[in-house]
Amino acid sequence: MVERKNRPHGWALPGGFVDVGERVEAAAKREAREETGLRVTGLRLLGVYSDPKRDPRGHTVSAVFAGNAAGVPRGADDAKQARVFDPRKLPRRICFDHRLIIRDWLKSSLDGWRALAR
């Protein structure tokens, strides 16, 4: 997760907008690298999130991907810092609908089921 430099402040999953001419998968990898310094591989679509109230700045639709990353995260670009959290010990202040996205990932992931079982 990244701690956001800009409003709304708090913790969020790395993300951003797709550049003109860019595929959404490429945008997901680029945004993760820009904000955390991590190279992401093995992307799979987790879901599409479109609740008009999910972003206080305006209606946005997000295609959310899960993947693998290696290395030590570091905050960059518009992230103050980047950290890996135990899903049982998430920060209190999570932006947007990212707590819901994390829950969805836990439900869909074998690792997530193991984390929930502990």
Side-chain angles (χ1 to χ4, degrees):
M1 298 188 80
V2 295
E3 185 179 17
R4 294 176 47 82
K5 282 184 185 176
N6 304 313
R7 291 179 189 251
H9 296 290
W11 288 89
L13 297 167
F17 295 97
V18 178
D19 291 338
V20 173
E22 184 178 39
R23 293 177 182 256
V24 292
E25 296 89 343
K29 289 179 181 181
R30 175 182 52 77
E31 287 288 349
R33 183 149 174 87
E34 287 176 0
E35 294 185 5
T36 68
L38 300 174
R39 288 187 193 269
V40 177
T41 60
L43 287 182
R44 68 176 179 82
L45 182 65
L46 177 66
V48 176
Y49 295 81
S50 62
D51 184 336
K53 298 175 189 163
R54 65 184 299 269
D55 188 335
R57 302 167 300 176
H59 187 189
T60 60
V61 176
S62 291
V64 178
F65 292 88
N68 300 309
V72 178
R74 59 170 174 68
D77 194 32
D78 56 356
K80 284 185 187 178
Q81 63 175 315
R83 288 186 47 199
V84 175
F85 289 94
D86 179 321
R88 296 166 295 179
K89 298 176 183 175
L90 294 173
R92 186 177 57 82
R93 194 169 178 191
I94 296 179
C95 298
F96 314 115
D97 57 355
H98 292 193
R99 193 176 296 275
L100 168 65
I101 294 169
I102 293 166
R103 284 184 194 140
D104 288 351
W105 172 78
L106 287 168
K107 289 177 189 174
S108 72
S109 164
L110 180 57
D111 290 334
W113 284 112
R114 288 182 187 140
L116 286 174
R118 291 182 200 160

